[in-house]
Each structure stands twice: as C-alpha cells, then as structure tokens.
Amino acid sequence: MVKLSSLFVAAVLFLVVAPAVSATRASVYSVTSYGGRAEPKTDSTRAFSEAWKRACSDPRPSVVYVPYGKFHLRDIAFEGPCKSNAIVVRIDGTLVAPSDYSVIGNAGNWIRFHKVDGVRISGGILDGQGTRLWSCKLAGKDCPNLHIANSKNVVIDRLSSVNSQKFQIAITDSQNVKLQRVTVTAPGSSPNTDGIHVERSSLVWILNSTISTGDDCISMGPGARNVWIERVACGPGHGISIGSLGWKFQEPGVENITVKRVHLSDTTNGLRIKTWARPSLGFVSNVLFHHVVMDGVKNPILIDQHYCPGHGQNCPSKASGVRVSGIRYKSIRGTSSTQVAVRFDCSESNPCTGITMHDVALTYLGKEAAVTCVNARGTSSGFVTPLVRWS
C-alpha cells in the first residue's frame, strides 16, 4: 500500500471538499464582453487576455466565461498570481489554435496557466489543429494544447483536447493538480502527442478519463511524485509510461506512483518504465500497478533501461544509472499481441530490485506468453503467468 503523507491527505481534502465557485456570488467576465467573437476570421486572443486580467485582479471569486461557438486564439498565457484563489474558467465552446504554426512562433505553448493558485478549468474543447501543425516536432518544441506551469490547487474537469501539436496536456513544476473526466483524442499515427505529461510536480490526480493518442497516454518525467491514476481508458497509444529518465546526470527521481483500474487496448506498450543507458543519479521507487486489463497490447509489462527510440542509431551504450526499485504488479490480466508479454531489461550496474508480481495472467494467442528477465530481482506470488525466472 502506498504510504500517504499528511501533505498528501491535506491535498485530497482540498480537492474533494473545496466547492466550485458559485456563479450566483461570483463576478462573471465573459470573453464576448471584451471583443471575443465565435467567428473564423476573428482573433479573440486579446479578449481572453482582458477577461482573465479582470478576473485575476478581482479579490472576489470570479468566472471567466466562454460561451458556445468556436473561438480562435493565438498562443496565450494566463499569468498569476491573482488576488483571488477561486477562479473558474468555464468553457462551453471550442478554442481553436491557428492552422499556421508560424503564428505561434517560438512560444512552445498554445494555452498556458502560469503561477496560478485555486483555478478550476471546466468543460470545453481545445482543438490544436495538429493535423497541420505536427511539423512542430521537427522544431523540437513541446507545443502542448494546455500547459499548467508553476501552479497549485488546479482542477481540470470535463475538458476535451484534440489534435494537439505535440503534448496534449502538460503539468510541470506544480502541486495539487486534479484532472477528471478528461478526454484526449489524436490519431494513433500522430507524432509525440503524449496525452497527459507530468514532470517536476507532486500531488497529481488523473481520474475517470479517456485517452486515444499517438504516443504515451500518460507519461511521467523526472520529478513526478505522488501521482494517482485511476479509471483511465488508454488506446490507441503507447500506454502508461514512467520516463524516459536518465538523460541528464543530475535529475530528480520519480516516486510514489499508483496506477489502478486502467484499461489498455491495442497499445504498443502497457505499463512501461524507460531509462536511457547513461550515467545518472535518477531513480524510480514505490510504484504500484493494480487491477489493470490489457487487450491486444504489444508490450504489456516492460522495464527498458536501454531505451533508445532511434532504432539503434546513435544510442547510448553505457549502463543506466537510474535505480529502479519497489515496483509492484497486482491483479494484471489480459492479452499480448506479441509472444513476449513481460520484459525486464534492467541496468547492468544497477539491477532492478524489489519487483513483486501477484496474480498476473497474460496470454498470447490463447496460450501462455513468454518472459525475458535480465538483471531484475524480485518475487512472485499467487497465480502468475508467464512465470518470471528472476536473474
């Protein structure tokens, strides 16, 4: 069982108990009052900025309201801190990114919330028009549809993100962020369109959501701590991943991760930990994968400490310095689309330790699947197939 700190419990109480801002007692700032128009040729960026500026400077609870219709926006940053820690951004319509990525330029983000506290984003659709903008990948930018940065006490509820240029939703350098009833959609062939990415952030909940994308449904990078993922459907996509880690020598670790009641379908990976084969002080510890169902997943359970997406070209050849320990797989069942359903490929200098498998049942074409295990130490209990021979 994952240990819960007092800070974690306090954050749960905040996110569960804290009520949404009541429109009857809140100041309402509609983007249409400041020139926003749901018209294809109207740039509503300035109207959204002005509505946010008014709400942010109001010490009372407030609502930034986006009515029905399609509002076209360039890159925009909603900056804090604000005078109130009770602001709702209520979106009934659709926000549409420019079809020409050069309009956004070097911003690296489309919609960004920065240094905010106590913001709730409710409803709406974010359309990144990624079918024309995936050339962003060549520029090496992150380009998420929605970026929450250096913020705390944020709730994202009933939001849909479609066809992002790269990451759909990114959470960085933040604390107490809850995403619930979120829908993320992009074609399985779209490049680097991670559904939800968490990095250098703590106390993050991802609940009751559906993710279909061209890369990891959920990815957790360096410094992701105290992350709880529950009741998420993933597919197509690359599964749920921790990493990639270990590219830098000085890198914060990943710890206290819970993934439970998750369904993965037709994904290229299931539950994956990936690290580069480079020296690093990073680590992964205290991870629980519990009650996971897989249908036709290519690599259902995978620890890859020789990660290199370059198809063997220019790959690091040293032992990974990332220490992987305390990884638990409980009540995992389903089918693999490849013969090897479990693969532990751990570091030569830092073998994986403390891996436990309890009641794991994965099959391939109706028969027992295979397993490969290199430099991994752990235990199995209950009914486990395929059976791991720990090295």
Side-chain angles (χ1 to χ4, degrees), residues 121-350:
I121 304 167
S122 180
I125 299 172
L126 307 182
D127 184 355
Q129 297 210 83
T131 52
R132 296 185 180 181
L133 299 178
W134 286 322
S135 59
C136 161
K137 175 185 177 183
L138 301 177
K141 304 293 182 181
D142 282 344
C143 318
N145 263 5
L146 175 64
H147 187 189
I148 307 298
N150 301 95
S151 299
K152 58 183 179 180
N153 304 327
V154 174
V155 177
I156 302 172
D157 184 26
R158 297 182 184 276
L159 180 73
S160 294
S161 176
V162 300
N163 294 336
S164 178
Q165 299 133 8
K166 202 173 179 185
F167 292 168
Q168 299 265 8
I169 299 172
I171 311 295
T172 63
D173 301 292
S174 296
Q175 188 175 60
N176 283 11
V177 179
K178 183 178 182 181
L179 300 94
Q180 60 185 10
R181 294 173 288 191
V182 168
T183 301
V184 173
T185 307
S189 59
S190 56
N192 296 106
T193 51
D194 291 46
I196 300 172
H197 180 72
V198 181
E199 189 164 321
R200 299 185 307 277
S201 297
S202 181
L203 304 170
V204 177
W205 288 262
I206 303 171
L207 310 173
N208 302 307
S209 296
T210 302
I211 304 173
S212 304
T213 191
D215 209 294
D216 296 324
C217 289
I218 300 173
S219 58
M220 289 161 276
R225 299 170 54 246
N226 301 319
V227 179
W228 190 285
I229 300 165
E230 185 169 4
R231 298 188 185 280
V232 170
C234 166
H238 293 185
I240 295 177
S241 293
I242 295 174
S244 59
L245 305 176
W247 183 256
K248 296 180 179 179
F249 182 74
Q250 295 282 354
E251 188 176 88
V254 174
E255 60 184 337
N256 302 335
I257 309 297
T258 297
V259 178
K260 64 186 301 186
R261 294 187 176 89
V262 167
H263 184 197
L264 299 112
S265 178
D266 297 318
T267 55
T268 56
N269 301 287
L271 309 171
R272 176 170 61 160
I273 298 172
K274 51 182 176 175
T275 77
W276 294 92
R278 294 164 59 100
S280 176
L281 297 178
F283 64 88
V284 181
S285 67
N286 196 22
V287 178
L288 172 63
F289 299 111
H290 191 203
H291 282 306
V292 178
V293 177
M294 306 198 196
D295 290 324
V297 173
K298 189 174 182 181
N299 298 292
I301 293 177
L302 173 61
I303 298 179
D304 181 5
Q305 293 209 259
H306 298 87
Y307 173 72
C308 182
H311 304 290
Q313 298 180 357
N314 301 317
C315 294
S317 58
K318 297 181 180 180
S320 176
V322 177
R323 291 170 287 117
V324 178
S325 63
I327 314 300
R328 291 167 291 163
Y329 303 91
K330 297 179 63 177
S331 301
I332 313 293
R333 62 184 177 85
T335 59
S336 174
S337 64
T338 56
Q339 187 173 4
V340 178
V342 178
R343 182 159 69 93
F344 296 131
D345 184 12
C346 296
S347 170
E348 299 88 334
S349 61
N350 293 287

